[in-house]
Amino acid sequence: MSALWLLPQHCLTGLGEALNAIGQIELYYSQFPKSMASISVALFALGMAFANVVGSLIVNIVDVASKSADATKESWVSTNLNKGHYDYYYWILTLLSLVNFIYFYFCSRAFKYCDHDIFWDHDNRTAQFTDKEDIMLDIPKSTGDDSSSIYFSA
């Protein structure tokens, strides 16, 4: 058996992680206050690092739990693909992904999209809610003339 049989699984995993990163950062930028943008991306990177550590821990646990004490039985994640049982390992990952999807489903049902920004009024020390459509951004024209600008609705 060739190691190229693992290539589709790793390509799908990489694509899934890339699309997850884009969506998650977009959610953070759209739902968190602007002052927390850098903190949210830092927490995202920390979460990815923690997930990689947990992934390595899962591989080590499966390796230790699936190999026999007298070394007569090969580990599920053996370096020899012909003797290992990667199919069992992927079934464990499928089960963990199913549990994760169920957790995601309940979290997504409880999530309420915030369609307004909160601005802090320093004079009155109160928070004001403003619809995102009412926020105007000053974006310079692309003609090279910096003296005038076009206003776009956010």
Side-chain angles (χ1 to χ4, degrees):
M1 181 176 252
S2 172
L4 291 177
W5 283 102
L6 298 175
L7 188 65
Q9 290 91 339
H10 290 294
C11 287
L12 283 175
T13 302
L15 182 66
E17 283 186 18
L19 294 175
N20 173 39
I22 293 167
Q24 203 168 359
I25 290 173
E26 181 66 28
L27 177 76
Y28 293 157
Y29 279 147
S30 68
Q31 295 299 299
F32 284 17
K34 300 296 180 210
S35 62
M36 291 184 64
S38 62
I39 291 174
S40 64
V41 173
L43 288 176
F44 169 73
L46 182 67
M48 291 296 284
F50 182 72
N52 287 326
V53 170
V54 170
S56 296
L57 185 65
I58 290 171
V59 170
N60 288 336
I61 289 171
V62 167
D63 185 39
V64 169
S66 64
K67 96 171 60 160
S68 64
D70 58 356
T72 58
K73 191 171 91 173
E74 197 71 34
S75 170
W76 289 357
V77 288
S78 173
T79 55
N80 186 349
L81 291 177
N82 293 323
K83 294 183 180 178
H85 284 282
Y86 277 90
D87 54 336
Y88 298 158
Y89 171 69
Y90 281 111
W91 278 115
I92 289 174
L93 292 182
T94 302
L95 180 67
L96 290 173
S97 295
L98 180 66
V99 169
N100 188 29
F101 177 74
I102 292 168
Y103 174 71
F104 168 77
Y105 176 76
F106 285 113
C107 288
S108 66
R109 299 291 290 170
F111 178 74
K112 301 291 183 219
Y113 185 77
C114 178
D115 200 23
H116 57 273
D117 283 336
I118 302 172
F119 294 98
W120 184 256
D121 185 6
H122 291 284
D123 298 331
N124 298 331
R125 295 184 182 251
T126 59
Q128 299 174 353
F129 293 94
T130 305
D131 289 333
K132 287 187 177 181
E133 289 80 24
D134 296 339
I135 301 170
M136 303 300 274
L137 297 176
D138 186 15
I139 301 174
K141 287 183 180 179
S142 61
T143 61
D145 182 18
D146 291 334
S147 62
S148 62
S149 62
I150 300 173
Y151 291 93
F152 292 99
S153 178

